[in-house]
Amino acid sequence: AALKPVMDVISSIDAVNAAGRPFATLGDFGWSGEACGQLNERASSIKMKQVGESVRAQFTPTDETWAALDTLADQIIETISK
Protein backbone atom coordinates (compact mmCIF):
# COMPACT_ATOMS: atom_id res chain seq x y z
CA ALA A 1 0.00 0.00 0.00
CA ALA A 2 1.13 3.51 -0.75
CA LEU A 3 2.20 5.85 2.03
CA LYS A 4 -0.37 8.51 2.92
CA PRO A 5 1.38 11.41 1.12
CA VAL A 6 1.60 9.32 -2.05
CA MET A 7 -2.03 8.17 -1.69
CA ASP A 8 -3.05 11.82 -1.27
CA VAL A 9 -1.41 12.70 -4.60
CA ILE A 10 -2.78 9.61 -6.34
CA SER A 11 -6.32 10.23 -5.14
CA SER A 12 -6.22 13.91 -6.08
CA ILE A 13 -5.64 13.23 -9.79
CA ASP A 14 -8.83 14.13 -11.66
CA ALA A 15 -9.41 11.10 -13.86
CA VAL A 16 -11.94 12.88 -16.07
CA ASN A 17 -9.72 15.80 -17.05
CA ALA A 18 -6.30 14.12 -16.88
CA ALA A 19 -6.61 11.71 -19.81
CA GLY A 20 -4.08 12.52 -22.52
CA ARG A 21 -2.08 14.91 -20.35
CA PRO A 22 1.66 14.38 -19.92
CA PHE A 23 3.21 13.42 -16.61
CA ALA A 24 6.65 12.59 -15.24
CA THR A 25 7.74 11.19 -11.90
CA LEU A 26 10.82 11.65 -9.80
CA GLY A 27 11.54 10.60 -6.30
CA ASP A 28 14.08 10.68 -3.53
CA PHE A 29 13.70 7.81 -1.10
CA GLY A 30 15.32 6.18 1.87
CA TRP A 31 14.23 2.59 1.69
CA SER A 32 11.81 1.07 -0.80
CA GLY A 33 11.25 3.82 -3.37
CA GLU A 34 7.83 2.59 -4.50
CA ALA A 35 6.13 5.97 -5.00
CA CYS A 36 7.22 6.52 -8.61
CA GLY A 37 5.84 3.16 -9.65
CA GLN A 38 2.56 3.74 -7.83
CA LEU A 39 2.17 7.17 -9.40
CA ASN A 40 3.04 5.80 -12.84
CA GLU A 41 0.45 3.02 -12.49
CA ARG A 42 -2.31 5.43 -11.46
CA ALA A 43 -1.53 7.98 -14.16
CA SER A 44 -1.26 5.33 -16.86
CA SER A 45 -4.52 3.70 -15.74
CA ILE A 46 -6.37 6.96 -16.42
CA LYS A 47 -4.72 7.29 -19.83
CA MET A 48 -2.16 9.97 -18.99
CA LYS A 49 0.98 9.94 -21.16
CA GLN A 50 4.31 9.38 -19.39
CA VAL A 51 7.17 11.61 -20.44
CA GLY A 52 10.55 9.89 -20.17
CA GLU A 53 11.58 7.44 -17.50
CA SER A 54 11.10 7.97 -13.79
CA VAL A 55 14.14 9.41 -12.07
CA ARG A 56 14.83 8.04 -8.60
CA ALA A 57 17.58 8.70 -6.10
CA GLN A 58 18.25 6.83 -2.90
CA PHE A 59 19.19 9.28 -0.14
CA THR A 60 21.52 11.50 -2.19
CA PRO A 61 21.40 12.17 -5.94
CA THR A 62 24.46 11.01 -7.85
CA ASP A 63 25.96 12.57 -10.95
CA GLU A 64 23.97 10.02 -12.96
CA THR A 65 20.79 11.10 -11.21
CA TRP A 66 21.42 14.75 -12.06
CA ALA A 67 22.12 13.81 -15.68
CA ALA A 68 18.88 11.82 -15.81
CA LEU A 69 17.00 14.82 -14.39
CA ASP A 70 18.50 17.07 -17.07
CA THR A 71 17.33 14.61 -19.73
CA LEU A 72 13.87 14.37 -18.19
CA ALA A 73 13.60 18.17 -17.99
CA ASP A 74 14.48 18.42 -21.69
CA GLN A 75 11.85 15.79 -22.51
CA ILE A 76 9.21 17.64 -20.47
CA ILE A 77 10.02 20.94 -22.18
CA GLU A 78 9.84 19.29 -25.59
CA THR A 79 6.50 17.66 -24.75
CA ILE A 80 4.75 20.75 -23.40
CA SER A 81 6.15 22.98 -26.16
CA LYS A 82 4.28 21.05 -28.87
Side-chain angles (χ1 to χ4, degrees), residues 15-66:
V16 173
N17 294 311
R21 293 184 182 258
F23 77 95
T25 55
L26 57 105
D28 178 34
F29 63 96
W31 191 13
S32 66
E34 297 170 356
C36 285
Q38 292 166 340
L39 291 166
N40 292 345
E41 286 176 20
R42 170 66 176 148
S44 294
S45 75
I46 59 173
K47 308 291 189 247
M48 293 180 74
K49 307 288 185 197
Q50 185 168 1
V51 177
E53 295 293 321
S54 297
V55 177
R56 301 171 18 162
Q58 188 170 14
F59 296 112
T60 304
T62 63
D63 290 341
E64 292 81 15
T65 306
W66 291 116

Side-chain angles (χ1 to χ4, degrees), residues 9-23:
V9 170
I10 290 171
S11 64
S12 72
I13 299 172
D14 178 3
V16 173
N17 294 311
R21 293 184 182 258
F23 77 95

